[in-house]
Amino acid sequence: MLNDRKVSFSGIQPSGNLTIGNYLGALKNFPYYTENYKCFYCVVDMHAITVRQVPAELRRRTSETLALYIACGLDPDKNTLYVQSHVPAHAELAWILNCFTMFGELSRMTQFKDKSARHADNINAGLFTYPALMAADILLYQTDVVPIGADQKQHVELTRNIAERINQIYPDLFTVPEPIMPQAGAKIMSLADPTKKMSKSDENENAVVRILDDRDTIIRKFRRAVTDSDTCVRFAEGKDGINNLMTIYAAFTGKSMEEIEREFEGRGYGDFKLAVGETCADQLAPVQAEFKKLCADKAYLEAQMKKGADEAAYYARKTLSKVKKKLGFII
Ligand code: TRP
């Protein structure tokens, strides 16, 4: 809680071009919290450097991710939108939390296991302790809810464990946060291999639909999506491709699986894929237009970034001083 309002916090890494998985699992839902929560949405550039980045690209993507927040409907006057490295308290609290996070816990994180397999030549300590930095992001703002996609649930669970462990020693130091996942769209699968998560770093471009893909590209990618030899649009075990397309359609339209089955009764996969592609393109079009406009106005983006960082730093400093005092640091 901050000033009697519950707090929502989430973050997105400025690495790679974001996909509809990021959109449906996280971004699209962020604006729903604005009215009822004090909201912080952070571009987590410090997380991004756990894998090697090209500096100019990181810089560009950091501004673009902030622009995307706004383009997805987050009003910068009602939400605190900022860049992680602009608020040094994140790094300071991360160090402290590292000292309350166990080697065994970090070793069990699936994202660490995946990323260290993919970047076997660079299994650095930052990649390993990344969840402690994520816990710092969340705990700094006494966060109540963390809207995320399914892949981040394990990290929020770990954050809860760290907070509870510290609260046992220093009562009521941190709010213990809850992860919140969307009902439909928490996990979007690859269009080329629907048993795998849709990943922004997939080498096969046909496997991923990006938030900034143009209309024709979106429709073409959906047309090529891998399905099965059945012909009936129905959600069932073993129909991973169709299940995924139905999940995407449900997340964009708010329709239930039964409604979708009824809508496409007696129609083939071709019709269904076109409908998913068109719906996706229609919904992303206004986001893309707004994004383009924002990116052309560097001064505006910079001003928002600065305002967000000042706001975030104010709240972050409060928690950090409280933590330092409790731990026995002279402040
Ligand atoms: N780890 C998240 C991801 O890779 C990004 C992230 C960093 C985050 N800090 C966060 C998400 C805090 C929610 C809350 O997607």
Side-chain angles (χ1 to χ4, degrees):
M1 291 276 221
L2 287 178
N3 306 334
D4 292 333
R5 287 183 87 196
K6 287 202 167 194
V7 176
S8 166
F9 183 100
S10 197
I12 290 189
Q13 290 196 50
S15 52
N17 283 324
L18 297 179
T19 72
I20 56 165
N22 303 111
Y23 182 72
L24 297 173
L27 272 167
K28 178 175 186 274
N29 312 306
F30 289 172
Y32 295 126
Y33 298 92
T34 305
E35 290 311 318
N36 299 317
Y37 292 82
K38 168 82 192 125
C39 296
F40 296 86
Y41 296 111
C42 183
V43 182
V44 293
D45 55 347
M46 287 169 18
H47 278 91
I49 63 161
T50 53
V51 302
R52 292 285 169 257
Q53 299 290 334
V54 177
E57 272 181 28
L58 179 61
R59 204 169 292 124
R60 177 176 56 80
R61 289 205 168 113
T62 299
S63 312
E64 286 182 359
T65 307
L66 196 97
L68 203 55
Y69 278 153
I70 304 174
C72 287
L74 291 173
D75 179 344
D77 290 329
K78 294 193 181 148
N79 300 271
T80 303
L81 311 178
Y82 71 105
V83 175
Q84 187 183 33
S85 65
H86 292 175
V87 181
H90 287 249
E92 290 187 69
L93 183 63
W95 171 254
I96 293 171
L97 299 186
N98 263 311
C99 301
F100 292 86
T101 308
M102 300 301 135
F103 181 85
E105 288 177 312
L106 293 172
S107 314
R108 285 193 289 277
M109 294 294 116
T110 359
Q111 188 168 329
F112 169 69
K113 289 192 251 177
D114 288 351
K115 283 205 179 176
S116 46
R118 264 193 286 134
H119 303 275
D121 55 341
N122 184 23
I123 306 177
N124 60 72
L127 192 65
F128 188 64
T129 62
Y130 169 121
L133 176 58
M134 177 158 163
D137 300 341
I138 298 169
L139 299 182
L140 259 183
Y141 301 94
Q142 304 294 354
T143 300
D144 296 277
V145 298
V146 188
I148 38 156
D151 64 325
Q152 294 302 315
K153 184 152 181 263
Q154 198 184 28
H155 289 157
V156 181
E157 296 295 344
L158 176 60
T159 303
R160 291 171 57 87
N161 292 342
I162 298 171
E164 279 164 356
R165 181 172 302 143
I166 296 179
N167 283 349
Q168 258 173 19
I169 314 173
Y170 311 102
D172 301 324
L173 192 47
F174 293 119
T175 302
V176 180
E178 298 277 348
I180 300 194
M181 286 176 295
Q183 277 181 331
K187 190 166 188 190
I188 302 299
M189 312 306 279
S190 151
L191 297 191
D193 175 359
T195 59
K196 259 183 22 194
K197 192 190 110 172
M198 183 181 284
S199 156
K200 59 187 171 207
S201 48
D202 201 312
E203 280 149 31
N204 178 1
E205 259 312 302
N206 286 322
V208 239
V209 178
R210 304 200 182 267
I211 299 177
L212 300 173
D213 276 348
D214 63 43
R215 185 177 185 84
D216 289 349
T217 307
I218 293 175
I219 291 174
R220 176 171 43 80
K221 285 179 176 176
F222 277 111
R223 206 172 48 223
R224 293 202 184 150
V226 168
T227 49
D228 53 60
S229 55
D230 194 11
T231 49
C232 165
V233 177
R234 131 186 103 85
F235 196 91
E237 205 169 313
K239 292 171 67 74
D240 296 328
I242 286 295
N243 294 349
N244 186 38
L245 295 180
M246 288 178 75
T247 303
I248 294 171
Y249 194 62
F252 274 120
T253 59
K255 291 179 183 166
S256 68
M257 294 305 170
E258 295 74 39
E259 284 173 296
I260 300 172
E261 286 173 359
R262 245 178 285 127
E263 183 178 350
F264 291 93
E265 211 174 307
R267 293 161 71 187
Y269 284 176
D271 270 12
F272 177 53
K273 286 177 169 182
L274 183 65
V276 183
E278 284 180 337
T279 304
C280 174
D282 287 348
Q283 293 217 9
L284 291 179
V287 173
Q288 296 177 350
E290 186 61 23
F291 174 79
K292 236 170 132 179
K293 228 169 62 193
L294 289 162
C295 288
D297 194 347
K298 290 271 172 303
Y300 173 79
L301 278 182
E302 267 169 37
Q304 297 312 317
M305 216 179 259
K306 166 96 180 50
K307 178 168 84 76
D310 289 344
E311 277 168 19
Y314 169 79
Y315 292 106
R317 236 180 277 124
K318 277 200 193 176
T319 303
L320 190 64
S321 329
K322 199 168 133 193
V323 173
K324 286 182 173 173
K325 222 187 283 173
K326 290 258 177 152
L327 287 175
F329 291 174
I330 296 174
I331 60 164

